[in-house]
């Protein structure tokens, strides 16, 4: 799918296409596509974070994932990505704290 008749969804389509490029390791293409999305779009922020993490910019990625979680509220996948950033920076204490919180919330909510 390359076109959408309802232009209200253009931004979401672009993020989806950029995500596909990211998954195919076409990082530069994904970045150029995501650059045209709204800067405050949480999906853009998450994908930018993933691109930063893949580029070994762990602290920048962590800050972006945190920004996304602040906009969207707590989400286990974002908390995991934050933990992964800490782990990648060899900051095991904060990584373990986030993993523990994921488990605790999972037990409590399910």
């Amino acid at each position: 799918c390359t076109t959408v008749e309802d232009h209200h969804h253009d931004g979401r389509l672009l993020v989806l296409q950029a995500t596909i490029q990211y998954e195919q390791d076409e990082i530069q293409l994904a970045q150029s596509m995501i650059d045209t999305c709204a800067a405050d779009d949480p999906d853009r922020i998450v994908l930018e974070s993933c691109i930063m993490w893949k580029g070994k910019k762990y602290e920048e990625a962590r800050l972006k994932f945190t920004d996304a979680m602040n906009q969207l509220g707590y989400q286990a996948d974002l908390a995991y990505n934050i933990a992964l950033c800490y782990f990648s920076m060899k900051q095991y204490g904060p990584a373990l704290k986030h993993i523990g919180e994921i488990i605790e919330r999972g037990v409590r909510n399910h």
Side-chain angles (χ1 to χ4, degrees):
C1 179
T2 58
T3 61
V4 176
E5 291 181 20
D6 182 357
H7 294 288
H8 175 72
H9 299 293
D10 286 348
R12 293 195 62 156
L13 176 63
L14 191 56
V15 170
L16 176 61
Q17 290 172 330
T19 301
I20 291 168
Q21 296 305 317
Y22 171 83
E23 288 296 324
Q24 294 177 342
D25 284 327
E26 297 289 340
I27 305 304
Q28 290 179 348
L29 182 55
Q31 183 66 56
S32 67
M33 292 175 83
I34 204 74
D35 285 343
T36 63
C37 295
D40 61 345
D41 179 349
D43 291 327
R44 174 192 171 153
I45 295 169
V46 170
L47 184 55
E48 281 181 321
S49 303
C50 292
I51 290 170
M52 288 176 184
W53 183 85
K54 203 170 240 189
K56 300 183 191 253
K57 298 176 182 175
Y58 305 126
E59 180 62 17
E60 293 173 41
R62 184 192 66 79
L63 293 171
K64 285 276 192 182
F65 281 127
T66 302
D67 184 32
M69 190 157 27
N70 288 338
Q71 285 187 32
L72 297 170
Y74 182 86
Q75 292 185 10
D77 59 332
L78 293 176
Y80 176 82
N81 289 337
I82 292 168
L84 182 60
C85 290
Y86 277 122
F87 184 84
S88 298
M89 293 185 292
K90 299 184 185 335
Q91 295 181 18
Y92 303 119
L96 186 59
K97 175 184 165 258
H98 282 279
I99 296 298
E101 183 178 4
I102 293 167
I103 294 168
E104 182 181 316
R105 284 178 180 242
V107 168
R108 191 171 353 129
N109 296 334
H110 301 287

